[in-house]
Amino acid sequence: MNRNRGLFGICLIISLILPVVGCAKKIPIVPVSGKVTVGGNPAPDCTILFTTITGTGGESIGARAVTDADGNYTLMTSEDNPRKGAGAGNNRVILKWIDKDYPFNYGDPSKTPPPKRKAAPYHLPPKAASGELTFTVPAGGTTEANFDF
């Protein structure tokens, strides 16, 4: 009799937990594109990163892009199998110009001094790289994720 009650208790607990675990919502990935400008001028070669802000310690989706010569970009997820888009909902946004011609591995620093980095062709404000910018991606995606500094 006690064994049946114990088995019943375990089954009851499992039946209560499974629906909660099984109902965790996945963040949908939707198309996101836009334009980055500085003073109204295109910001080429700007790296833009989106990371979903879940607030619950749950799933988070990262997406990135590099702007073209006209400042336009289309985000791609940072997964093993990248997809066009970003996570719907609130996202933290970081923008930074990176010298794409600067070698990350330039040899032995004790023998070869690092090459000089190029000066950025435009100036992004500190808030662009600080992580304080946010953007809410609509459930249907957007082509208007624009940032003007």
Side-chain angles (χ1 to χ4, degrees):
M1 186 81 159
N2 283 341
R3 183 175 173 186
N4 286 343
R5 268 194 264 175
L7 188 58
F8 175 76
I10 291 172
C11 289
L12 179 63
I13 290 170
I14 290 172
S15 69
L16 293 173
I17 292 175
L18 278 179
V20 174
V21 172
C23 291
K25 290 175 72 177
K26 288 193 72 79
I27 299 170
I29 295 173
V30 296
V32 177
S33 60
K35 185 170 188 156
V36 179
T37 54
V38 177
N41 297 313
D45 299 322
C46 180
T47 298
I48 183 164
L49 307 168
F50 274 49
T51 306
T52 53
I53 304 168
T54 59
T56 61
E59 178 186 26
S60 180
I61 296 172
R64 69 179 299 275
V66 176
T67 57
D68 64 16
D70 296 321
N72 297 311
Y73 71 91
T74 298
L75 290 171
M76 296 287 290
T77 61
S78 306
E79 306 168 306
D80 290 336
N81 297 311
R83 295 180 275 170
K84 276 190 177 182
N90 292 329
N91 281 262
R92 186 166 319 287
V93 180
I94 295 176
L95 297 101
K96 187 168 183 144
W97 181 80
I98 297 174
D99 181 354
K100 67 181 178 183
D101 297 323
Y102 186 81
F104 285 100
N105 183 6
Y106 56 83
D108 183 351
S110 66
K111 296 179 183 171
T112 309
K116 298 242 188 246
R117 289 185 188 266
K118 291 183 204 170
Y122 48 85
H123 176 72
L124 291 170
K127 72 178 182 177
S130 71
E132 66 184 88
L133 293 176
T134 60
F135 186 85
T136 302
V137 175
T142 183
T143 58
E144 299 293 324
N146 301 325
F147 296 90
D148 182 40
F149 299 99

mmCIF file of all heavy atoms in Angstrom, residues 75-127:
data_model
loop_
_atom_site.group_PDB
_atom_site.id
_atom_site.type_symbol
_atom_site.label_atom_id
_atom_site.label_comp_id
_atom_site.label_asym_id
_atom_site.label_seq_id
_atom_site.Cartn_x
_atom_site.Cartn_y
_atom_site.Cartn_z
ATOM 1 N N LEU A 75 20.496 40.839 -40.858
ATOM 2 C CA LEU A 75 21.018 39.997 -39.778
ATOM 3 C C LEU A 75 20.946 38.512 -40.110
ATOM 4 O O LEU A 75 20.032 38.059 -40.792
ATOM 5 C CB LEU A 75 20.245 40.251 -38.478
ATOM 6 C CG LEU A 75 20.480 41.609 -37.825
ATOM 7 C CD1 LEU A 75 19.498 41.816 -36.674
ATOM 8 C CD2 LEU A 75 21.903 41.753 -37.329
ATOM 9 N N MET A 76 21.946 37.780 -39.598
ATOM 10 C CA MET A 76 21.998 36.317 -39.671
ATOM 11 C C MET A 76 22.221 35.819 -38.247
ATOM 12 O O MET A 76 23.014 36.413 -37.504
ATOM 13 C CB MET A 76 23.159 35.836 -40.540
ATOM 14 C CG MET A 76 23.061 36.222 -42.000
ATOM 15 S SD MET A 76 21.816 35.301 -42.896
ATOM 16 C CE MET A 76 22.535 33.685 -42.955
ATOM 17 N N THR A 77 21.563 34.738 -37.881
ATOM 18 C CA THR A 77 21.741 34.197 -36.538
ATOM 19 C C THR A 77 23.155 33.643 -36.375
ATOM 20 O O THR A 77 23.824 33.310 -37.354
ATOM 21 C CB THR A 77 20.721 33.084 -36.233
ATOM 22 O OG1 THR A 77 20.910 32.022 -37.161
ATOM 23 C CG2 THR A 77 19.295 33.605 -36.286
ATOM 24 N N SER A 78 23.573 33.535 -35.138
ATOM 25 C CA SER A 78 24.919 33.049 -34.813
ATOM 26 C C SER A 78 24.893 31.589 -34.398
ATOM 27 O O SER A 78 25.583 31.195 -33.480
ATOM 28 C CB SER A 78 25.506 33.897 -33.677
ATOM 29 O OG SER A 78 25.475 35.245 -33.995
ATOM 30 N N GLU A 79 24.100 30.795 -35.054
ATOM 31 C CA GLU A 79 23.957 29.380 -34.715
ATOM 32 C C GLU A 79 24.897 28.535 -35.574
ATOM 33 O O GLU A 79 25.533 29.046 -36.489
ATOM 34 C CB GLU A 79 22.522 28.919 -34.981
ATOM 35 C CG GLU A 79 21.466 29.750 -34.293
ATOM 36 C CD GLU A 79 20.085 29.431 -34.821
ATOM 37 O OE1 GLU A 79 19.878 29.501 -36.039
ATOM 38 O OE2 GLU A 79 19.228 29.114 -33.998
ATOM 39 N N ASP A 80 24.924 27.236 -35.301
ATOM 40 C CA ASP A 80 25.690 26.318 -36.139
ATOM 41 C C ASP A 80 25.170 26.331 -37.571
ATOM 42 O O ASP A 80 25.927 26.206 -38.521
ATOM 43 C CB ASP A 80 25.628 24.891 -35.587
ATOM 44 C CG ASP A 80 26.403 24.765 -34.288
ATOM 45 O OD1 ASP A 80 27.318 25.580 -34.055
ATOM 46 O OD2 ASP A 80 26.091 23.856 -33.503
ATOM 47 N N ASN A 81 23.862 26.455 -37.726
ATOM 48 C CA ASN A 81 23.226 26.566 -39.043
ATOM 49 C C ASN A 81 22.566 27.937 -39.128
ATOM 50 O O ASN A 81 21.375 28.068 -38.847
ATOM 51 C CB ASN A 81 22.178 25.458 -39.241
ATOM 52 C CG ASN A 81 22.793 24.096 -39.231
ATOM 53 O OD1 ASN A 81 23.779 23.850 -39.912
ATOM 54 N ND2 ASN A 81 22.223 23.187 -38.446
ATOM 55 N N PRO A 82 23.336 28.967 -39.492
ATOM 56 C CA PRO A 82 22.801 30.330 -39.485
ATOM 57 C C PRO A 82 21.557 30.479 -40.364
ATOM 58 O O PRO A 82 21.448 29.862 -41.418
ATOM 59 C CB PRO A 82 23.941 31.181 -40.028
ATOM 60 C CG PRO A 82 25.158 30.344 -39.926
ATOM 61 C CD PRO A 82 24.708 28.922 -39.976
ATOM 62 N N ARG A 83 20.641 31.309 -39.881
ATOM 63 C CA ARG A 83 19.427 31.634 -40.631
ATOM 64 C C ARG A 83 19.323 33.141 -40.731
ATOM 65 O O ARG A 83 19.800 33.864 -39.870
ATOM 66 C CB ARG A 83 18.203 31.081 -39.908
ATOM 67 C CG ARG A 83 18.191 29.568 -39.841
ATOM 68 C CD ARG A 83 16.975 29.070 -39.119
ATOM 69 N NE ARG A 83 17.250 29.068 -37.678
ATOM 70 C CZ ARG A 83 16.325 28.866 -36.756
ATOM 71 N NH1 ARG A 83 15.081 28.663 -37.099
ATOM 72 N NH2 ARG A 83 16.642 28.865 -35.483
ATOM 73 N N LYS A 84 18.668 33.620 -41.781
ATOM 74 C CA LYS A 84 18.444 35.060 -41.903
ATOM 75 C C LYS A 84 17.494 35.494 -40.809
ATOM 76 O O LYS A 84 16.423 34.907 -40.641
ATOM 77 C CB LYS A 84 17.840 35.403 -43.262
ATOM 78 C CG LYS A 84 18.847 35.551 -44.352
ATOM 79 C CD LYS A 84 18.212 36.119 -45.604
ATOM 80 C CE LYS A 84 19.281 36.314 -46.657
ATOM 81 N NZ LYS A 84 18.745 36.893 -47.869
ATOM 82 N N GLY A 85 17.891 36.522 -40.074
ATOM 83 C CA GLY A 85 16.992 37.085 -39.087
ATOM 84 C C GLY A 85 17.598 37.174 -37.709
ATOM 85 O O GLY A 85 18.790 36.966 -37.495
ATOM 86 N N ALA A 86 16.717 37.504 -36.752
ATOM 87 C CA ALA A 86 17.072 37.640 -35.339
ATOM 88 C C ALA A 86 15.872 37.197 -34.515
ATOM 89 O O ALA A 86 14.781 36.972 -35.054
ATOM 90 C CB ALA A 86 17.440 39.092 -35.025
ATOM 91 N N GLY A 87 16.072 37.094 -33.217
ATOM 92 C CA GLY A 87 14.980 36.693 -32.339
ATOM 93 C C GLY A 87 13.957 37.801 -32.181
ATOM 94 O O GLY A 87 14.309 38.971 -31.985
ATOM 95 N N ALA A 88 12.684 37.435 -32.295
ATOM 96 C CA ALA A 88 11.606 38.410 -32.100
ATOM 97 C C ALA A 88 11.591 38.847 -30.635
ATOM 98 O O ALA A 88 11.964 38.092 -29.748
ATOM 99 C CB ALA A 88 10.266 37.801 -32.490
ATOM 100 N N GLY A 89 11.187 40.089 -30.403
ATOM 101 C CA GLY A 89 11.109 40.619 -29.040
ATOM 102 C C GLY A 89 12.225 41.617 -28.783
ATOM 103 O O GLY A 89 12.842 42.152 -29.705
ATOM 104 N N ASN A 90 12.479 41.857 -27.501
ATOM 105 C CA ASN A 90 13.488 42.845 -27.115
ATOM 106 C C ASN A 90 14.891 42.309 -27.343
ATOM 107 O O ASN A 90 15.199 41.179 -26.970
ATOM 108 C CB ASN A 90 13.322 43.224 -25.640
ATOM 109 C CG ASN A 90 12.046 43.984 -25.398
ATOM 110 O OD1 ASN A 90 11.581 44.709 -26.260
ATOM 111 N ND2 ASN A 90 11.461 43.805 -24.229
ATOM 112 N N ASN A 91 15.734 43.138 -27.944
ATOM 113 C CA ASN A 91 17.122 42.782 -28.240
ATOM 114 C C ASN A 91 18.058 43.881 -27.767
ATOM 115 O O ASN A 91 17.757 45.066 -27.899
ATOM 116 C CB ASN A 91 17.320 42.607 -29.754
ATOM 117 C CG ASN A 91 16.828 41.290 -30.263
ATOM 118 O OD1 ASN A 91 17.609 40.369 -30.428
ATOM 119 N ND2 ASN A 91 15.530 41.178 -30.506
ATOM 120 N N ARG A 92 19.185 43.467 -27.221
ATOM 121 C CA ARG A 92 20.276 44.395 -26.929
ATOM 122 C C ARG A 92 21.070 44.536 -28.229
ATOM 123 O O ARG A 92 21.286 43.551 -28.931
ATOM 124 C CB ARG A 92 21.158 43.849 -25.818
ATOM 125 C CG ARG A 92 22.212 44.804 -25.353
ATOM 126 C CD ARG A 92 22.858 44.379 -24.047
ATOM 127 N NE ARG A 92 21.989 43.843 -23.030
ATOM 128 C CZ ARG A 92 21.119 44.537 -22.271
ATOM 129 N NH1 ARG A 92 20.996 45.837 -22.455
ATOM 130 N NH2 ARG A 92 20.385 43.958 -21.356
ATOM 131 N N VAL A 93 21.507 45.760 -28.543
ATOM 132 C CA VAL A 93 22.179 46.031 -29.812
ATOM 133 C C VAL A 93 23.541 46.664 -29.550
ATOM 134 O O VAL A 93 23.664 47.579 -28.735
ATOM 135 C CB VAL A 93 21.333 46.978 -30.691
ATOM 136 C CG1 VAL A 93 22.025 47.262 -32.008
ATOM 137 C CG2 VAL A 93 19.946 46.400 -30.927
ATOM 138 N N ILE A 94 24.556 46.148 -30.232
ATOM 139 C CA ILE A 94 25.905 46.713 -30.166
ATOM 140 C C ILE A 94 26.368 46.976 -31.592
ATOM 141 O O ILE A 94 26.234 46.113 -32.457
ATOM 142 C CB ILE A 94 26.875 45.761 -29.444
ATOM 143 C CG1 ILE A 94 26.451 45.607 -27.983
ATOM 144 C CG2 ILE A 94 28.318 46.244 -29.562
ATOM 145 C CD1 ILE A 94 27.275 44.611 -27.200
ATOM 146 N N LEU A 95 26.895 48.174 -31.818
ATOM 147 C CA LEU A 95 27.423 48.542 -33.130
ATOM 148 C C LEU A 95 28.872 48.987 -32.951
ATOM 149 O O LEU A 95 29.186 49.734 -32.028
ATOM 150 C CB LEU A 95 26.636 49.700 -33.739
ATOM 151 C CG LEU A 95 25.170 49.412 -34.020
ATOM 152 C CD1 LEU A 95 24.297 49.994 -32.951
ATOM 153 C CD2 LEU A 95 24.786 49.974 -35.351
ATOM 154 N N LYS A 96 29.731 48.527 -33.852
ATOM 155 C CA LYS A 96 31.142 48.894 -33.760
ATOM 156 C C LYS A 96 31.793 48.788 -35.131
ATOM 157 O O LYS A 96 31.543 47.827 -35.852
ATOM 158 C CB LYS A 96 31.836 47.965 -32.772
ATOM 159 C CG LYS A 96 33.244 48.363 -32.468
ATOM 160 C CD LYS A 96 33.770 47.592 -31.284
ATOM 161 C CE LYS A 96 35.156 48.099 -30.994
ATOM 162 N NZ LYS A 96 35.483 48.150 -29.629
ATOM 163 N N TRP A 97 32.613 49.777 -35.459
ATOM 164 C CA TRP A 97 33.392 49.693 -36.687
ATOM 165 C C TRP A 97 34.638 48.891 -36.393
ATOM 166 O O TRP A 97 35.332 49.137 -35.413
ATOM 167 C CB TRP A 97 33.765 51.074 -37.207
ATOM 168 C CG TRP A 97 34.537 50.993 -38.492
ATOM 169 C CD1 TRP A 97 34.002 50.806 -39.731
ATOM 170 C CD2 TRP A 97 35.940 51.050 -38.671
ATOM 171 N NE1 TRP A 97 34.995 50.744 -40.670
ATOM 172 C CE2 TRP A 97 36.209 50.893 -40.050
ATOM 173 C CE3 TRP A 97 37.015 51.207 -37.809
ATOM 174 C CZ2 TRP A 97 37.484 50.910 -40.582
ATOM 175 C CZ3 TRP A 97 38.301 51.214 -38.341
ATOM 176 C CH2 TRP A 97 38.517 51.068 -39.707
ATOM 177 N N ILE A 98 34.914 47.904 -37.211
ATOM 178 C CA ILE A 98 36.089 47.059 -37.046
ATOM 179 C C ILE A 98 36.892 47.111 -38.334
ATOM 180 O O ILE A 98 36.334 46.943 -39.424
ATOM 181 C CB ILE A 98 35.682 45.611 -36.707
ATOM 182 C CG1 ILE A 98 34.935 45.585 -35.375
ATOM 183 C CG2 ILE A 98 36.887 44.692 -36.673
ATOM 184 C CD1 ILE A 98 34.368 44.236 -34.998
ATOM 185 N N ASP A 99 38.183 47.344 -38.201
ATOM 186 C CA ASP A 99 39.073 47.368 -39.362
ATOM 187 C C ASP A 99 39.149 45.946 -39.919
ATOM 188 O O ASP A 99 39.847 45.100 -39.376
ATOM 189 C CB ASP A 99 40.450 47.876 -38.941
ATOM 190 C CG ASP A 99 41.432 47.956 -40.099
ATOM 191 O OD1 ASP A 99 41.093 47.513 -41.213
ATOM 192 O OD2 ASP A 99 42.548 48.455 -39.881
ATOM 193 N N LYS A 100 38.421 45.679 -40.981
ATOM 194 C CA LYS A 100 38.346 44.317 -41.516
ATOM 195 C C LYS A 100 39.665 43.864 -42.143
ATOM 196 O O LYS A 100 39.872 42.683 -42.356
ATOM 197 C CB LYS A 100 37.192 44.185 -42.506
ATOM 198 C CG LYS A 100 37.371 44.988 -43.774
ATOM 199 C CD LYS A 100 36.192 44.824 -44.699
ATOM 200 C CE LYS A 100 36.390 45.677 -45.931
ATOM 201 N NZ LYS A 100 35.285 45.613 -46.820
ATOM 202 N N ASP A 101 40.553 44.806 -42.423
ATOM 203 C CA ASP A 101 41.850 44.446 -42.994
ATOM 204 C C ASP A 101 42.917 44.200 -41.933
ATOM 205 O O ASP A 101 44.024 43.784 -42.243
ATOM 206 C CB ASP A 101 42.339 45.551 -43.939
ATOM 207 C CG ASP A 101 41.409 45.720 -45.137
ATOM 208 O OD1 ASP A 101 40.893 44.691 -45.619
ATOM 209 O OD2 ASP A 101 41.197 46.858 -45.552
ATOM 210 N N TYR A 102 42.589 44.473 -40.659
ATOM 211 C CA TYR A 102 43.557 44.267 -39.580
ATOM 212 C C TYR A 102 43.656 42.781 -39.270
ATOM 213 O O TYR A 102 42.652 42.132 -38.981
ATOM 214 C CB TYR A 102 43.122 45.032 -38.327
ATOM 215 C CG TYR A 102 44.152 44.994 -37.220
ATOM 216 C CD1 TYR A 102 45.230 45.857 -37.240
ATOM 217 C CD2 TYR A 102 44.040 44.104 -36.175
ATOM 218 C CE1 TYR A 102 46.183 45.843 -36.231
ATOM 219 C CE2 TYR A 102 44.986 44.072 -35.154
ATOM 220 C CZ TYR A 102 46.051 44.944 -35.196
ATOM 221 O OH TYR A 102 46.986 44.925 -34.200
ATOM 222 N N PRO A 103 44.864 42.219 -39.335
ATOM 223 C CA PRO A 103 44.986 40.777 -39.072
ATOM 224 C C PRO A 103 44.855 40.471 -37.585
ATOM 225 O O PRO A 103 45.475 41.134 -36.754
ATOM 226 C CB PRO A 103 46.397 40.459 -39.578
ATOM 227 C CG PRO A 103 47.137 41.741 -39.472
ATOM 228 C CD PRO A 103 46.128 42.842 -39.668
ATOM 229 N N PHE A 104 44.034 39.488 -37.246
ATOM 230 C CA PHE A 104 43.874 39.110 -35.844
ATOM 231 C C PHE A 104 45.089 38.319 -35.364
ATOM 232 O O PHE A 104 45.424 38.334 -34.207
ATOM 233 C CB PHE A 104 42.596 38.297 -35.641
ATOM 234 C CG PHE A 104 41.374 39.149 -35.700
ATOM 235 C CD1 PHE A 104 40.614 39.209 -36.850
ATOM 236 C CD2 PHE A 104 41.001 39.925 -34.625
ATOM 237 C CE1 PHE A 104 39.497 40.012 -36.914
ATOM 238 C CE2 PHE A 104 39.890 40.739 -34.673
ATOM 239 C CZ PHE A 104 39.131 40.780 -35.828
ATOM 240 N N ASN A 105 45.753 37.630 -36.257
ATOM 241 C CA ASN A 105 46.925 36.854 -35.899
ATOM 242 C C ASN A 105 48.062 37.312 -36.813
ATOM 243 O O ASN A 105 48.180 36.863 -37.935
ATOM 244 C CB ASN A 105 46.657 35.358 -36.058
ATOM 245 C CG ASN A 105 47.840 34.530 -35.625
ATOM 246 O OD1 ASN A 105 48.819 35.059 -35.107
ATOM 247 N ND2 ASN A 105 47.759 33.242 -35.836
ATOM 248 N N TYR A 106 48.874 38.231 -36.332
ATOM 249 C CA TYR A 106 49.880 38.830 -37.179
ATOM 250 C C TYR A 106 51.284 38.282 -36.920
ATOM 251 O O TYR A 106 52.270 38.823 -37.397
ATOM 252 C CB TYR A 106 49.887 40.346 -37.031
ATOM 253 C CG TYR A 106 50.083 40.817 -35.613
ATOM 254 C CD1 TYR A 106 51.342 40.921 -35.057
ATOM 255 C CD2 TYR A 106 48.985 41.132 -34.828
ATOM 256 C CE1 TYR A 106 51.511 41.338 -33.756
ATOM 257 C CE2 TYR A 106 49.156 41.553 -33.534
ATOM 258 C CZ TYR A 106 50.415 41.662 -33.000
ATOM 259 O OH TYR A 106 50.577 42.072 -31.719
ATOM 260 N N GLY A 107 51.420 37.231 -36.168
ATOM 261 C CA GLY A 107 52.737 36.638 -35.927
ATOM 262 C C GLY A 107 53.186 36.812 -34.489
ATOM 263 O O GLY A 107 52.397 37.097 -33.602
ATOM 264 N N ASP A 108 54.468 36.662 -34.280
ATOM 265 C CA ASP A 108 55.064 36.749 -32.950
ATOM 266 C C ASP A 108 55.241 38.223 -32.572
ATOM 267 O O ASP A 108 56.071 38.924 -33.164
ATOM 268 C CB ASP A 108 56.415 36.021 -32.956
ATOM 269 C CG ASP A 108 57.072 36.000 -31.594
ATOM 270 O OD1 ASP A 108 56.586 36.689 -30.667
ATOM 271 O OD2 ASP A 108 58.074 35.282 -31.447
ATOM 272 N N PRO A 109 54.480 38.722 -31.570
ATOM 273 C CA PRO A 109 54.570 40.146 -31.221
ATOM 274 C C PRO A 109 55.939 40.553 -30.687
ATOM 275 O O PRO A 109 56.291 41.720 -30.720
ATOM 276 C CB PRO A 109 53.487 40.339 -30.169
ATOM 277 C CG PRO A 109 53.040 38.991 -29.761
ATOM 278 C CD PRO A 109 53.487 38.014 -30.799
ATOM 279 N N SER A 110 56.746 39.595 -30.216
ATOM 280 C CA SER A 110 58.079 39.954 -29.726
ATOM 281 C C SER A 110 59.040 40.221 -30.884
ATOM 282 O O SER A 110 60.062 40.870 -30.714
ATOM 283 C CB SER A 110 58.631 38.849 -28.824
ATOM 284 O OG SER A 110 58.865 37.668 -29.585
ATOM 285 N N LYS A 111 58.724 39.726 -32.065
ATOM 286 C CA LYS A 111 59.591 39.911 -33.228
ATOM 287 C C LYS A 111 58.983 40.845 -34.272
ATOM 288 O O LYS A 111 59.689 41.509 -35.005
ATOM 289 C CB LYS A 111 59.875 38.554 -33.882
ATOM 290 C CG LYS A 111 60.655 37.625 -32.988
ATOM 291 C CD LYS A 111 60.878 36.294 -33.665
ATOM 292 C CE LYS A 111 61.610 35.363 -32.712
ATOM 293 N NZ LYS A 111 61.676 34.013 -33.199
ATOM 294 N N THR A 112 57.667 40.848 -34.347
ATOM 295 C CA THR A 112 56.987 41.638 -35.369
ATOM 296 C C THR A 112 56.016 42.589 -34.687
ATOM 297 O O THR A 112 55.078 42.146 -34.036
ATOM 298 C CB THR A 112 56.180 40.718 -36.319
ATOM 299 O OG1 THR A 112 57.033 39.687 -36.779
ATOM 300 C CG2 THR A 112 55.622 41.495 -37.474
ATOM 301 N N PRO A 113 56.229 43.898 -34.812
ATOM 302 C CA PRO A 113 55.255 44.812 -34.189
ATOM 303 C C PRO A 113 53.908 44.710 -34.904
ATOM 304 O O PRO A 113 53.863 44.449 -36.112
ATOM 305 C CB PRO A 113 55.877 46.189 -34.388
ATOM 306 C CG PRO A 113 56.829 46.028 -35.514
ATOM 307 C CD PRO A 113 57.267 44.589 -35.527
ATOM 308 N N PRO A 114 52.837 44.894 -34.166
ATOM 309 C CA PRO A 114 51.524 44.818 -34.827
ATOM 310 C C PRO A 114 51.368 45.944 -35.835
ATOM 311 O O PRO A 114 51.907 47.037 -35.636
ATOM 312 C CB PRO A 114 50.539 44.965 -33.681
ATOM 313 C CG PRO A 114 51.295 45.596 -32.585
ATOM 314 C CD PRO A 114 52.736 45.221 -32.766
ATOM 315 N N PRO A 115 50.655 45.680 -36.918
ATOM 316 C CA PRO A 115 50.419 46.747 -37.899
ATOM 317 C C PRO A 115 49.516 47.820 -37.308
ATOM 318 O O PRO A 115 48.804 47.588 -36.334
ATOM 319 C CB PRO A 115 49.730 46.012 -39.052
ATOM 320 C CG PRO A 115 49.183 44.773 -38.463
ATOM 321 C CD PRO A 115 50.027 44.425 -37.281
ATOM 322 N N LYS A 116 49.576 48.983 -37.898
ATOM 323 C CA LYS A 116 48.701 50.076 -37.437
ATOM 324 C C LYS A 116 47.277 49.820 -37.917
ATOM 325 O O LYS A 116 47.049 49.372 -39.030
ATOM 326 C CB LYS A 116 49.195 51.400 -38.000
ATOM 327 C CG LYS A 116 50.585 51.764 -37.540
ATOM 328 C CD LYS A 116 50.536 53.029 -36.761
ATOM 329 C CE LYS A 116 51.945 53.494 -36.464
ATOM 330 N NZ LYS A 116 52.272 53.457 -35.099
ATOM 331 N N ARG A 117 46.343 50.099 -37.040
ATOM 332 C CA ARG A 117 44.938 50.008 -37.423
ATOM 333 C C ARG A 117 44.555 51.266 -38.200
ATOM 334 O O ARG A 117 45.068 52.345 -37.948
ATOM 335 C CB ARG A 117 44.048 49.889 -36.191
ATOM 336 C CG ARG A 117 44.152 48.574 -35.487
ATOM 337 C CD ARG A 117 43.115 48.534 -34.357
ATOM 338 N NE ARG A 117 43.280 47.369 -33.535
ATOM 339 C CZ ARG A 117 42.629 46.231 -33.708
ATOM 340 N NH1 ARG A 117 41.765 46.117 -34.688
ATOM 341 N NH2 ARG A 117 42.822 45.208 -32.912
ATOM 342 N N LYS A 118 43.612 51.089 -39.113
ATOM 343 C CA LYS A 118 43.077 52.245 -39.840
ATOM 344 C C LYS A 118 42.221 53.063 -38.883
ATOM 345 O O LYS A 118 41.620 52.515 -37.952
ATOM 346 C CB LYS A 118 42.178 51.787 -40.984
ATOM 347 C CG LYS A 118 42.871 51.123 -42.113
ATOM 348 C CD LYS A 118 41.810 50.820 -43.179
ATOM 349 C CE LYS A 118 42.204 49.692 -44.063
ATOM 350 N NZ LYS A 118 41.108 49.263 -44.915
ATOM 351 N N ALA A 119 42.132 54.343 -39.164
ATOM 352 C CA ALA A 119 41.207 55.191 -38.418
ATOM 353 C C ALA A 119 39.799 54.918 -38.939
ATOM 354 O O ALA A 119 39.601 54.680 -40.135
ATOM 355 C CB ALA A 119 41.567 56.654 -38.614
ATOM 356 N N ALA A 120 38.840 54.924 -38.039
ATOM 357 C CA ALA A 120 37.450 54.716 -38.445
ATOM 358 C C ALA A 120 37.022 55.849 -39.362
ATOM 359 O O ALA A 120 37.350 57.015 -39.115
ATOM 360 C CB ALA A 120 36.541 54.656 -37.226
ATOM 361 N N PRO A 121 36.304 55.543 -40.439
ATOM 362 C CA PRO A 121 35.873 56.585 -41.371
ATOM 363 C C PRO A 121 34.710 57.440 -40.830
ATOM 364 O O PRO A 121 34.311 58.407 -41.457
ATOM 365 C CB PRO A 121 35.438 55.796 -42.606
ATOM 366 C CG PRO A 121 35.094 54.442 -42.083
ATOM 367 C CD PRO A 121 35.947 54.211 -40.884
ATOM 368 N N TYR A 122 34.174 57.076 -39.676
ATOM 369 C CA TYR A 122 33.096 57.821 -39.038
ATOM 370 C C TYR A 122 33.189 57.578 -37.534
ATOM 371 O O TYR A 122 33.880 56.669 -37.079
ATOM 372 C CB TYR A 122 31.720 57.387 -39.577
ATOM 373 C CG TYR A 122 31.536 55.890 -39.617
ATOM 374 C CD1 TYR A 122 31.108 55.188 -38.507
ATOM 375 C CD2 TYR A 122 31.811 55.175 -40.776
ATOM 376 C CE1 TYR A 122 30.975 53.817 -38.533
ATOM 377 C CE2 TYR A 122 31.675 53.798 -40.822
ATOM 378 C CZ TYR A 122 31.249 53.130 -39.695
ATOM 379 O OH TYR A 122 31.109 51.773 -39.728
ATOM 380 N N HIS A 123 32.489 58.378 -36.760
ATOM 381 C CA HIS A 123 32.556 58.265 -35.308
ATOM 382 C C HIS A 123 31.211 57.791 -34.760
ATOM 383 O O HIS A 123 30.197 58.458 -34.928
ATOM 384 C CB HIS A 123 32.927 59.612 -34.684
ATOM 385 C CG HIS A 123 32.928 59.586 -33.198
ATOM 386 N ND1 HIS A 123 33.887 58.936 -32.466
ATOM 387 C CD2 HIS A 123 32.054 60.102 -32.316
ATOM 388 C CE1 HIS A 123 33.619 59.062 -31.174
ATOM 389 N NE2 HIS A 123 32.509 59.769 -31.064
ATOM 390 N N LEU A 124 31.223 56.627 -34.117
ATOM 391 C CA LEU A 124 30.033 56.147 -33.417
ATOM 392 C C LEU A 124 30.124 56.608 -31.963
ATOM 393 O O LEU A 124 31.210 56.560 -31.374
ATOM 394 C CB LEU A 124 29.953 54.620 -33.459
ATOM 395 C CG LEU A 124 29.665 53.994 -34.816
ATOM 396 C CD1 LEU A 124 29.849 52.481 -34.759
ATOM 397 C CD2 LEU A 124 28.251 54.322 -35.269
ATOM 398 N N PRO A 125 29.016 57.026 -31.365
ATOM 399 C CA PRO A 125 29.064 57.444 -29.963
ATOM 400 C C PRO A 125 29.305 56.239 -29.050
ATOM 401 O O PRO A 125 29.025 55.099 -29.435
ATOM 402 C CB PRO A 125 27.671 58.047 -29.735
ATOM 403 C CG PRO A 125 26.803 57.381 -30.736
ATOM 404 C CD PRO A 125 27.674 57.108 -31.923
ATOM 405 N N PRO A 126 29.809 56.478 -27.836
ATOM 406 C CA PRO A 126 30.085 55.374 -26.907
ATOM 407 C C PRO A 126 28.882 54.466 -26.652
ATOM 408 O O PRO A 126 29.045 53.258 -26.490
ATOM 409 C CB PRO A 126 30.519 56.079 -25.618
ATOM 410 C CG PRO A 126 31.053 57.402 -26.075
ATOM 411 C CD PRO A 126 30.230 57.760 -27.286
ATOM 412 N N LYS A 127 27.667 55.024 -26.651
ATOM 413 C CA LYS A 127 26.498 54.193 -26.373
ATOM 414 C C LYS A 127 26.277 53.114 -27.435
ATOM 415 O O LYS A 127 25.638 52.105 -27.175
ATOM 416 C CB LYS A 127 25.231 55.036 -26.206
ATOM 417 C CG LYS A 127 24.697 55.645 -27.482
ATOM 418 C CD LYS A 127 23.417 56.413 -27.221
ATOM 419 C CE LYS A 127 22.850 56.983 -28.501
ATOM 420 N NZ LYS A 127 21.585 57.673 -28.258
#
